[in-house]
Every structure is written in structure tokens, then in C-alpha cells.
Amino acid sequence: MSQPVIEVNRVSKSFGGVVANHEISLEVPQGKITGLIGPNGSGKTTLFNSIVGYHPIDAGSIKFKGLEISELNVQKIARLGLVRTFQQTRIYGKLDCMQNMMISIPHRTAAWIDMFAKPSPKTQARAEQLLDFVGLYAKRRLLAGSLSFGQQKLLEFAMALMNEPEVLMLDEPTAGINPTLINGLIDRLRRANTEFGITMFIIEHNMRVIMNMADSIYCLAHGELLAHGSPEQIQNDQRVIDAYLGAH
Ligand code: ADP
Ligand code: MG
């Protein structure tokens, strides 16, 4: 058993009268790929937002490497090594790929002017190396807005890697991507896990993708934790099947 790197304990979060998360407890083990699934509106994104410090939680505890982080803000948590990507792509279409890579480093985003200063050769080399890793090296001087949607997702993934995360939380990384490009993205996600040792926590709507990638999977329904197990266990769990069928 690997050590949990994220420990969520009885976390609740409401928006007005809507209980988005009710006493959720889960663990993300170090070095593994953990999946989070559930029908639309079941509270997956809310839980991610709570973990990364995007909004305060109503109750419960969230630990990263044993440290309570539920009171810390996004920047502090990112600096500890816990980084997330968004369901909606957040790249700057009017900047080229290399410039997008530069502004993705947290301490540089604060100083807008910094973007026009020349980055250190080390930073530049790292950006080029990561663009090569996701297959965008040849397009590094093209405007991000001119890339296909799938390529923009790959750029966003490379941008997240610029932060040298220990844990990467991905919110529906394959959403909207052409099925033929999905395999390339899955391969890069897997390699980031095996070659860079990055622990992954992934919200994924595509069952084929998450069943193939995850070591274990949590399933939410109506803001509550419904099930946890191996992909095989989850796939055959009647409660999970019912939750999905009930959602349609
Ligand atoms: P999922 O990511 O599983 O689709 P969400 O976490 O986005 O689900 O949403 C869970 C519930 O919380 C939904 O009912 C949604 O409408 C509500 N919700 C999420 N974010 C907000 C918000 N900022 N304000 C109000 N309600 C919200
Ligand atoms: Mg969501």
C-alpha cells in the first residue's frame, strides 16, 4: 500500500441550498492514478475546487502530505506541489505556445510585465522539453489560438507540468477531444505518471478512458460518495450502474 498524498475527511460544501458535497472522505495514494467519476452535477468539480483551495469548505479536513491545507489559498497549495487543470481550457489564444508555458509558472503570472522579459535559459529549455513531450515542439511559436482543441488540451497539460507538480488533478482532460487524439493524450498522462512520478487524480466522463488508466476509482452521486474500488469492481457495482442509468 502506498501512502496517501491527499486525504479528504468528511468534507462538505453547499452553494445556498444546494449540497454539492456531503461528508466526502477519500484518499489519493502516492504515485498512483486515481479516478473520480459520477453523473453530471454529482459534485466532482466542487470537490476538486475544495481540495485546491479555490473556495472555502463548510466542514471537514483536507490534508496534503499530512499537512492541513483546507485553509490555504490556491497559490500556496500550488507551491506545495498540488496543481489542477480546468474542465474549460485556460490558455491565452493570442500568445504563442512558449509564452503560454512561461506565464503558467505561478511566480511569473503575478508580474504581467515579466512575460516580455526573456526567461532564463533553464526555464526556456524546460518549456521546450515539455512541448516536445506533448508533441507540440514544432508548433512552439504558433499562437495557441490557432491550435486544434485537442492540441490546446495538450498545451494546457504541458503548462501544468511547468509547475513541477507532485500531484496533478485533471478535470475531464479528454472532454471534447476527437476520439482519435484521445489515445495520444492518455499515453502522455500515463507517461507523466510513470516517467515523472506524478501522482494523478482525474475526473473523467469517458468510461473507457478511466477504466483503462486508473488504479482505483471513486464514484460520487448526488454529492455523496457512492463507491470505491478497482476499475473492475466499479464497473460491476450495481449502485454505480444505477446511478448512471438513473441520470439519463
Ligand atoms: P460535477 O462536476 O460532478 O458535474 P459540480 O461539482 O460542478 O458537479 O456541481 C455539483 C452541484 O453543485 C450542482 O448542482 C451544481 O449546480 C452546484 N454548483 C457547483 N458550483 C456552484 C456554484 N459556484 N454556485 C452554485 N451552485 C454550484
Ligand atoms: Mg464538473
Side-chain angles (χ1 to χ4, degrees):
M1 263 307 271
S2 20
Q3 281 298 107
V5 63
I6 298 173
E7 294 163 88
V8 172
N9 197 6
R10 299 175 70 112
V11 164
S12 296
K13 175 72 183 175
S14 296
F15 298 102
V18 178
V19 182
N21 286 153
H22 179 64
E23 298 196 349
I24 305 281
S25 297
L26 56 79
E27 290 184 348
V28 175
Q30 178 103 46
K32 305 276 185 196
I33 299 180
T34 303
L36 182 62
I37 64 169
N40 261 332
S42 58
K44 306 180 296 296
T45 297
T46 299
L47 183 64
F48 264 33
N49 285 338
S50 296
I51 294 172
V52 300
Y54 189 74
H55 55 212
I57 56 176
D58 300 335
S61 150
I62 303 170
K63 285 183 179 162
F64 178 60
K65 296 195 287 182
L67 175 77
E68 182 65 39
I69 57 166
S70 57
E71 308 266 306
L72 302 183
N73 65 29
V74 172
Q75 286 76 18
K76 283 218 177 84
I77 292 171
R79 255 181 252 128
L80 292 172
L82 183 52
V83 171
R84 70 89 65 85
T85 66
F86 290 87
Q87 202 167 341
Q88 256 73 45
T89 308
R90 296 196 174 184
I91 55 154
Y92 295 87
K94 297 219 155 67
L95 299 180
D96 71 26
C97 292
M98 281 296 280
Q99 288 171 320
N100 269 280
M101 294 295 278
M102 296 310 154
I103 58 166
S104 64
I105 306 170
H107 71 266
R108 293 183 73 94
T109 50
W112 182 243
I113 198 80
D114 242 21
M115 215 180 68
F116 302 100
K118 205 156 174 56
S120 76
K122 192 167 156 261
T123 305
Q124 198 143 359
R126 177 159 177 78
E128 287 178 352
Q129 194 187 349
L130 288 172
L131 285 174
D132 185 46
F133 174 69
V134 299
L136 290 175
Y137 182 77
K139 299 187 188 293
R140 67 195 181 285
R141 291 298 173 199
L142 297 185
L143 294 187
S146 73
L147 301 177
S148 75
F149 185 74
Q151 289 167 338
Q152 291 183 2
K153 287 290 215 186
L154 284 164
L155 172 60
E156 199 180 28
F157 177 49
M159 287 165 67
L161 295 177
M162 276 300 274
N163 294 282
E164 302 187 46
E166 238 173 276
V167 177
L168 194 52
M169 298 182 29
L170 300 144
D171 195 345
E172 301 200 19
T174 70
I177 298 192
N178 179 328
T180 57
L181 290 179
I182 285 184
N183 288 341
L185 180 61
I186 294 175
D187 173 63
R188 281 357 180 278
L189 295 176
R190 272 225 187 86
R191 284 178 56 198
N193 174 249
T194 54
E195 291 173 27
F196 305 157
I198 299 173
T199 300
M200 303 273 195
F201 192 21
I202 305 180
I203 295 175
E204 184 52 65
H205 218 70
N206 184 323
M207 286 300 144
R208 180 181 68 85
V209 170
I210 201 66
M211 294 296 164
N212 268 315
M213 271 197 353
D215 297 297
S216 75
I217 296 173
Y218 286 94
C219 179
L220 298 186
H222 305 294
E224 309 217 17
L225 187 66
L226 187 67
H228 173 226
S230 67
E232 294 72 26
Q233 288 168 326
I234 288 293
Q235 226 163 353
N236 296 306
D237 191 312
Q238 195 56 44
R239 294 166 302 173
V240 175
I241 295 165
D242 290 345
Y244 273 90
L245 291 178
H248 293 292

